[in-house]
Amino acid sequence: RVLATMSGGTVKENLAWCWSKRNHVDEIVSEVWSNVRPGGRLHPAWFFEAKGHLAVELLLFAVILYLITRKSFKPKKEKPLSKAEQEELIEDWVPEPLAPTSYATASDGDEAATGLRSRKNPPVKKQIRYAKTPVVKGKASAPHVQVGSKKVMNLVSTNFLNFANSEKIEDACEKALQRYGCGSCGPRGFYGTIDVHLEFEDRMAKFLGTEEAILYSYDISTPSSAIPAFCKSGDVIVADSGVNYAIQSGLTLSRSTVIYFEHNNLKDLERVLQQVTGEDNKKGKTNLERIQRRFIVVEGIYQNYGDLCPLKGVMALKEKYNFRMILEESLALGVLGKSGRGSVEHHGLEVDQVDITLASLGNSIGSIGGICAGSRRVCDHQRLSGAGYVFSASLPPYLACAAIESLNLLEEKGPELVQALSKKAKVFRDLLGKAFAKSKSLRVHQENDEDVLSPFVHLKLVAKQNSEVEAVEVLQTFVDAALREGVFLSLSKYTFLDRFDGCQSIRMAVNVEHTNADLAKAVGTLKKQAQKLDLL
């Protein structure tokens, strides 16, 4: 039709002309060019020569005049509510509960028996009500604490190296309070960055052997900020089924495709990796279509099990299938490796083989907060994309000073402390394993010989119960009985949002200041109470 219009004549004549010239493309192109070239009928210059711009300008002037003379829009004011109507609305309003209003009970029947936290039963959303934690007088992280009027052995705190009770660290905190005050008064990107934050990041990066490290003000927000900063919708994450809740939150917030493999099962991990890479070949994706971030997420020492990750095997599969790795080292930092540098040092791997390292400062380091270590690009990206870094107030300066002093102690006495802690962990696990070797109800979780190095121990309830609620009640009775006899224990507690679906357990942590006599006495007490409760 365009050609017909350009060539002149009636539509029928022009269509006939186009049809006659169908085999002469050069003539058609020449005709088109003669109309659109400068001076042609369809060139913009012809429009201006014909004074067509005056019509457009007149139209614009009319629109402007209309807008100027038009009355401004004022929304109608709603009639204010009377006092009686306000009172009625206030009376009818019911606020959202800040805590669960209904809890799971043993009388829930099938619901309680099918696993209240299990993702196999998504309609069940009831939370188990756990007993209140006893109030500790004085330092809650000391090897021995006071609960009520009794001094008891503390197997609850994960203050493995006892840094949280160091006088040197307390002095460093006191000096920092006098110099900087208490809080930082803002996020890192505004006015919350203090020189001690930068010093700690530099020291931690050098300690771990990475290019840079970035400091978060809260350890739980570290995985839930770092993981979504790098993983987006369309990416693939392969994670161990036993990862802790902080990692699970990060996986959920990333909106990536998350595939879980069986806990510490390298064969199942390889099966999943083959499945992911095999789908590309089946769908015939090109190299451009395969551009996708793919991560493996594991923990150095698992919070939900207390066992070590077979990192060498995971690393081999990671490199074979070209995945990236996120390693969570909260329980391994200060515990594994000759100098306490974590799982990478313990397994004899290179630091740059792990793409992103996450860790809490609330365990062996004896402070508060979290760190993410890696390449310079990894850390710089989080300064604008890590939600917990950008929007949260930065770590109080005195806590950063505490972490710096902990690094000083770790660099000075690291090999000695780590060796002493690993020996005591072995002693405790050996005594506990022998004490409950014949028990049909309680069992120490330990899958490999290397797990004896972990000072974080789970005593699992393997005897079948009618419901998880009953399992919690049985273990809580055991914990209360042990506390009366001088051993402070804690249940592993889970929210109904946690996808972990393992056995209920009692978690215990060994402190480097615990003596062998303390550990033997604690195991003897636990064995005695288990016999009384018919759990041995």
Side-chain angles (χ1 to χ4, degrees), residues 28 84 110 158 175 188 202 304 401 441 467 485 490:
I28 296 176
D110 293 338
T158 54
K175 291 177 182 177
R188 289 289 301 273
D202 183 59
N304 287 330
C401 290
S441 299
S467 68
E485 297 300 319
S490 175

Side-chain angles (χ1 to χ4, degrees), residues 10-69:
T10 64
V11 174
K12 186 174 180 180
E13 291 173 348
N14 291 326
L15 289 174
W17 178 84
C18 289
W19 180 255
S20 65
K21 302 294 184 181
R22 65 184 182 279
N23 295 324
H24 301 279
V25 179
D26 54 338
E27 294 184 21
I28 296 176
V29 172
S30 177
E31 182 67 22
V32 172
W33 173 245
S34 66
N35 283 275
V36 299
R37 65 180 176 79
R41 293 175 59 194
L42 299 182
H43 192 271
W46 178 86
F47 179 78
F48 286 101
E49 289 173 1
K51 308 299 181 182
H53 63 92
L54 295 177
V56 175
E57 292 169 358
L58 184 62
L59 178 62
L60 291 175
F61 178 77
V63 171
I64 293 171
L65 186 63
Y66 168 75
L67 293 175
I68 291 174
T69 57

Side-chain angles (χ1 to χ4, degrees), residues 232-237 257 276-277 279-280 285 287-295 322-324:
K232 306 297 180 184
S233 177
D235 297 336
V236 175
I237 303 175
T257 301
V276 172
T277 55
E279 287 179 357
D280 291 343
K285 289 185 176 180
N287 290 333
L288 185 62
E289 291 173 330
R290 293 183 186 184
I291 295 176
Q292 181 187 57
R293 288 177 289 264
R294 296 176 176 180
F295 289 88
N322 296 320
F323 274 64
R324 295 182 176 94

Side-chain angles (χ1 to χ4, degrees), residues 172-173 176-177 180-188 192-198 200 215-218 361 367-370 392-404:
C173 290
L177 282 169
Y180 300 103
C182 184
S184 56
C185 300
R188 289 289 301 273
T193 296
I194 314 295
D195 56 351
V196 288
H197 294 145
L198 302 176
F200 173 73
L215 175 63
Y216 283 86
S217 56
Y218 193 37
L361 304 179
S367 183
I368 292 176
S392 297
S394 61
L395 189 71
Y398 75 92
L399 292 173
C401 290
I404 292 172

